[in-house]
Amino acid sequence: MHGLPSSAFFLKNVIPLQISFDILMILFEARLLVAFGFDQPTVREIMTKNPHWWGQSNHISKHVKTFEDFSEFVP
């Protein structure tokens, strides 16, 4: 294995990587909607009522504790 010793955490738990990806995708998609001309209230409505984005948000909320697990990880 190479890299930082803390990278060993991801051999057992990839959820923080998946959650990070979901967060970045939501931010990108919201910003893209704004760039397409939607106002912020409309973007908020789209992002909270559409099942795809609601599912990502729910996934993030459900597993956000894994970031704490990672920050407390001691190799």
Side-chain angles (χ1 to χ4, degrees):
M1 184 192 298
H2 60 83
L4 296 173
S6 60
S7 67
F9 176 84
F10 299 112
L11 294 174
K12 298 177 183 172
N13 188 352
V14 297
I15 293 174
L17 296 175
Q18 294 169 334
I19 298 301
S20 298
F21 178 80
D22 286 344
I23 291 170
L24 290 174
M25 286 303 297
I26 284 178
L27 291 172
F28 170 77
E29 291 168 348
R31 181 63 187 114
L32 187 63
L33 289 170
V34 170
F36 285 155
F38 292 94
D39 61 356
Q40 289 181 355
T42 304
V43 170
R44 179 177 288 117
E45 184 177 336
I46 291 170
M47 300 294 281
T48 56
K49 295 193 179 194
N50 182 295
H52 170 72
W53 287 303
W54 181 86
Q56 282 183 327
S57 298
N58 187 44
H59 189 240
I60 291 166
S61 299
K62 182 178 174 184
H63 295 290
V64 75
K65 181 168 180 340
T66 60
F67 286 114
E68 294 171 16
D69 297 340
F70 175 62
S71 68
E72 295 169 1
F73 177 72
V74 178

